Amino acid sequence: MIDKLKEQDYRLTPQRLAVLKILAGSDAHPSAEHIYEQVKVDFPMTSLATIYKTLTLLKEIKEVLEISIGDDHNHYDGRRPYPHPHLICNACKKIIDADMVDLSKVSQHLAKKTGYRITNYQINFFGICPLCQKKV
Amino acid sequence: MIDKLKEQDYRLTPQRLAVLKILAGSDAHPSAEHIYEQVKVDFPMTSLATIYKTLTLLKEIKEVLEISIGDDHNHYDGRRPYPHPHLICNACKKIIDADMVDLSKVSQHLAKKTGYRITNYQINFFGICPLCQKKV
DNA sequence: ATATTTATCGATAATGATTCTCTGTTTTGA
DNA sequence: TCAAAACAGAGAATCATTATCGATAAATAT
Ligand SMILES: [Mn+2]
Ligand SMILES: [Mn+2]
Ligand SMILES: [Zn+2]
Ligand SMILES: [Zn+2]
């Protein structure tokens, strides 16, 4: 991630490093607000706008994946910055990766059938996770 | 659609009928704003709030499907009010149904593997449609 | 038919995530 | 050493959606 920024002549500021650290250190798909709260622990004067600017930059260089689950705020995955399916619990709102399903074939089949040049996808399954099922 | 509303003791007002008519008569996945513009042709004093309230109602009784494509405004499908995949052109923004792929098996496989009780999904493929490819 | 209750409407304010703007600071490179 | 460019911070602006609330229309009871 750091290398990718250096390659493209972007500056490595403390604020950016802090955002990178949160993203790289979490597989919980944090929101911008959540990243902001975490970054403020070490850099209390950081602005929320800076978080958004950093996320926009990371999106552009394909180092972070933006996930919209219709929850009115987006989530970010810095661990797997390529399209992949997610599994969201409607009860506890946890978001996990659903790597066990491979949709590249589906995507290829769709492209062949329709003539579309498919460049991206966003796939979210919603339900109740095993833990929340127990909590009836 | 009308029957479903009657069954559940909702009133059939002219405004609601107008919204239903737009939804039933279009497979273009219109936005709330677009529905609003269309409804205003026949009922010029209709409020945008009424459109949203009607859409919320139709969502609740499962007569319309809400689609979020990360475009900052939602789209609605009254023709196929159950989860199904979509194909979105990044150039002309057209949204079409991608019925040729069946994801019920994927969903079942995922449920079995993870223990989730899957109740819904939202699947969007993004790309360039054949028409926009020609326009290069 | 008239009164009463209740759902729905229209207008507009509020909300809240994200983006924009502007100013001051830091980094870069000659 | 110094000008140019990149970046950060603060807060205003945007804009889709929701909430509020008094007015109106439909349903129901008298
Ligand atoms: Mn992920
Ligand atoms: Mn559809
Ligand atoms: Zn859960
Ligand atoms: Zn197109």
Side-chain angles (χ1 to χ4, degrees):
Chain A
M1 244 192 211
I2 293 173
D3 291 344
K4 199 75 170 282
L5 278 172
K6 278 186 183 169
E7 270 175 37
Q8 311 207 18
D9 285 327
Y10 290 108
R11 294 182 191 166
L12 277 174
T13 64
Q15 294 88 341
R16 280 186 183 164
L17 274 174
V19 173
L20 292 194
K21 205 169 125 190
I22 307 299
L23 285 171
S26 163
D27 57 358
H29 305 86
S31 65
E33 187 69 32
H34 183 255
I35 295 168
Y36 178 50
E37 297 302 333
Q38 291 302 111
V39 168
K40 273 205 294 189
V41 173
D42 290 326
F43 300 90
M45 67 280 298
T46 306
S47 168
L48 183 54
T50 298
I51 308 296
Y52 277 107
K53 279 183 272 200
T54 303
L55 286 171
T56 302
L57 173 59
L58 292 173
K59 272 190 287 176
E60 276 168 15
I61 65 173
K62 298 271 171 61
E63 282 298 307
V64 76
L65 181 76
E66 190 173 55
I67 302 150
S68 310
I69 64 170
D71 192 11
D72 246 359
H73 56 277
N74 292 333
H75 295 260
Y76 298 89
D77 190 337
R79 291 266 183 96
R80 296 161 209 268
Y82 44 83
H84 60 277
H86 289 97
L87 198 40
I88 299 124
C89 176
N90 286 322
C92 65
K93 304 298 174 190
K94 198 169 40 187
I95 303 174
I96 68 172
D97 294 328
D99 293 314
M100 61 290 295
V101 298
D102 177 24
L103 291 154
S104 57
K105 274 171 251 161
V106 174
S107 176
Q108 280 170 32
H109 177 244
L110 200 54
K112 191 167 285 180
K113 272 268 186 180
T114 62
Y116 274 62
R117 186 188 311 135
I118 295 174
T119 55
N120 187 21
Y121 58 79
Q122 180 132 195
I123 304 211
N124 302 318
F125 293 91
F126 298 86
I128 308 290
C129 76
L131 262 152
C132 287
Q133 284 178 45
K134 282 186 198 157
K135 287 180 197 155
V136 176
Chain B
M1 246 193 209
I2 293 173
D3 292 343
K4 198 77 170 280
L5 278 172
K6 278 186 181 168
E7 270 176 36
Q8 311 206 18
D9 284 329
Y10 291 109
R11 292 185 190 164
L12 278 175
T13 64
Q15 294 88 341
R16 280 186 183 163
L17 275 174
V19 173
L20 292 194
K21 205 169 127 190
I22 306 300
L23 285 171
S26 163
D27 58 358
H29 306 85
S31 65
E33 188 68 32
H34 183 254
I35 295 168
Y36 178 50
E37 298 301 334
Q38 291 301 110
V39 167
K40 274 205 292 189
V41 173
D42 290 325
F43 299 90
M45 66 282 296
T46 306
S47 168
L48 183 55
T50 297
I51 309 294
Y52 277 108
K53 279 183 271 200
T54 303
L55 287 170
T56 302
L57 174 60
L58 292 173
K59 273 190 284 176
E60 275 168 13
I61 66 172
K62 300 269 172 61
E63 282 297 307
V64 75
L65 181 75
E66 190 174 54
I67 302 151
S68 309
I69 64 169
D71 191 11
D72 247 359
H73 55 277
N74 292 333
H75 295 261
Y76 298 89
D77 189 337
R79 289 266 183 96
R80 298 177 163 84
Y82 44 82
H84 60 277
H86 288 97
L87 198 40
I88 299 124
C89 176
N90 286 322
C92 66
K93 304 299 173 190
K94 196 169 40 185
I95 303 174
I96 68 170
D97 295 327
D99 294 313
M100 60 289 294
V101 300
D102 177 24
L103 291 155
S104 56
K105 274 173 250 160
V106 174
S107 176
Q108 280 169 33
H109 178 242
L110 200 54
K112 191 167 284 181
K113 272 266 187 183
T114 62
Y116 274 62
R117 186 187 311 137
I118 295 173
T119 56
N120 188 21
Y121 58 79
Q122 180 132 193
I123 304 210
N124 302 318
F125 294 91
F126 298 86
I128 307 290
C129 76
L131 262 153
C132 287
Q133 285 177 45
K134 281 186 201 156
K135 287 181 197 154
V136 174

